[in-house]
Amino acid sequence: MTSTDNAPRHPPWAHLHALTVLGEAGSFTAAAQRLGWSKALMSQRVAELEAQAGVPLVRRTTRSVRLTEAGQQLVDRSRGAFAEIDAALASVRDLAGAPRGLLRVTAPVALARQQLLPRLPDFLRRYPELRLELDLADRLASLAQEGFDLAIRHTHAPPDTHVAWPLCETRSVLVASPAYLRARGTPAHPLDLSAHDCLYYPRPGATPVWQLEARQGGARHRVAVRGPLAANNSEALREAALGDLGIALLPDFSAQAALQSGQLLPVLPAWRPVGAFAERLWAIRPHSAQVPRGVQVLVAWLREALAHGFGPAALSPSGAPRAKKTT
């Protein structure tokens, strides 16, 4: 009997790729979803690979799956090859003309609902062979581990391990409903906020404090605030302000339409909130040898669509996002 008699009849490339995805995803269910397989097929492929390797490659627990030392070594030595294959396929697809395929994108809930979704029909009509899968979440996902092609993030500084494209500037605004201001009065100075109901974004372990800086002169004041509602979502705070519950500190992309319509009014416009939210939106993806064409066109479109930011000038008279002319 020769040494080739026990070799697999088919090279286990798909099995190796399945193990690589399993190591990134951390569970058979998540890995199967990434690959578009059933969980049973995923488990079968890994079991077949373990039989070929002759050693256990996966350590299963009731809550998660971890690679053994042998499994991790196999993944580490094959990951680069699969990245090269992905890059080669992306390069070939780009030669075929129009961008096509599936793009998985994660974005914050409020930003996506209020600013991205109204604009996306234009993008999908422009690139009909692309499909988008949106994950709306405020948590910071691991892009590589969860298989996202792009993340849109409202952050002060994108991670150094990723490629980041700036999309537009944003700012924080204080707003309240006309009815609330009629009933409680309009603050004239930041220190007046201590006597008002304030709607704020809670920070773990921190006393709610708003810091404001004068637009002229640069004077700063820190004010401890309190109110009937705190929420970790700017849409929730905006709805509470629309319900006359108090003064809300919001990112401009959440307040934009309500300010344009007059449902909310700016509070202390001569003062700039500092440190509450990031001042720029970014499109972020892990470093790679080649950026897929679909990602390139999506980033270019986002930079075009959001070029005006979220001030009143970025809205049409109806309050809808202004459509940018294309040639």
Side-chain angles (χ1 to χ4, degrees), residues 67-68 110 113 163 182 222 232:
L67 300 183
T68 64
R113 283 167 50 93
V163 179
R182 283 195 301 270
R222 288 171 55 86
N232 65 347

Side-chain angles (χ1 to χ4, degrees), residues 108-112 114-115 138 153-156 168-175 199-203 210 215 231-239 241 247-260 264 273-281 309-312 315:
V109 177
L111 175 72
Q114 296 166 41
Q115 301 292 344
D138 294 325
R153 283 289 169 253
H154 192 213
T155 183
H156 294 287
C168 67
E169 302 296 321
T170 69
R171 61 191 180 94
S172 301
V173 293
L174 286 174
V175 297
L199 312 170
Y200 57 91
Y201 201 105
R203 307 294 181 184
W210 289 350
R215 299 187 187 276
N232 65 347
N233 177 273
S234 62
E235 278 189 306
L237 296 176
R238 184 198 61 192
E239 292 304 307
I247 298 172
L249 177 56
L250 303 175
D252 54 1
F253 57 77
S254 278
Q256 183 188 40
L259 284 170
Q260 174 74 7
L264 293 177
V274 177
F277 300 101
E279 296 184 351
R280 182 170 288 179
L281 279 181
F310 307 108
L315 287 174

Side-chain angles (χ1 to χ4, degrees), residues 70-141:
Q72 190 62 56
Q73 179 179 332
L74 192 56
V75 165
D76 290 342
R77 298 190 64 176
S78 59
R79 181 182 285 116
F82 285 118
E84 290 289 332
I85 292 170
D86 284 341
L89 284 172
S91 178
V92 169
R93 283 195 298 266
D94 287 350
L95 294 176
R100 57 171 53 85
L102 175 67
L103 291 178
R104 299 191 68 235
V105 180
T106 179
V109 177
L111 175 72
R113 283 167 50 93
Q114 296 166 41
Q115 301 292 344
L116 297 183
L117 290 173
R119 293 172 163 92
L120 281 177
D122 170 68
F123 175 76
L124 293 173
R125 283 190 291 265
R126 193 181 302 188
Y127 300 103
E129 296 186 60
L130 279 175
R131 294 177 295 120
L132 290 182
E133 180 180 311
L134 289 178
D135 175 82
L136 305 188
D138 294 325
R139 63 187 176 84
L140 295 176

Side-chain angles (χ1 to χ4, degrees), residues 16-38:
L16 282 170
H17 186 235
L19 186 68
T20 300
V21 174
L22 179 62
E24 294 175 347
S27 76
F28 279 96
T29 299
Q33 290 173 345
R34 286 263 304 272
L35 293 170
W37 295 356
S38 68

Side-chain angles (χ1 to χ4, degrees), residues 12-19 21-22 27-50 52 58 60:
W13 311 139
H15 300 61
L16 282 170
H17 186 235
L19 186 68
V21 174
L22 179 62
S27 76
F28 279 96
T29 299
Q33 290 173 345
R34 286 263 304 272
L35 293 170
W37 295 356
S38 68
K39 184 179 176 182
L41 177 59
M42 183 77 199
S43 182
Q44 177 187 336
R45 289 289 172 89
V46 172
E48 290 173 353
L49 186 60
E50 288 182 317
Q52 293 175 21
V58 172
R60 299 163 175 82

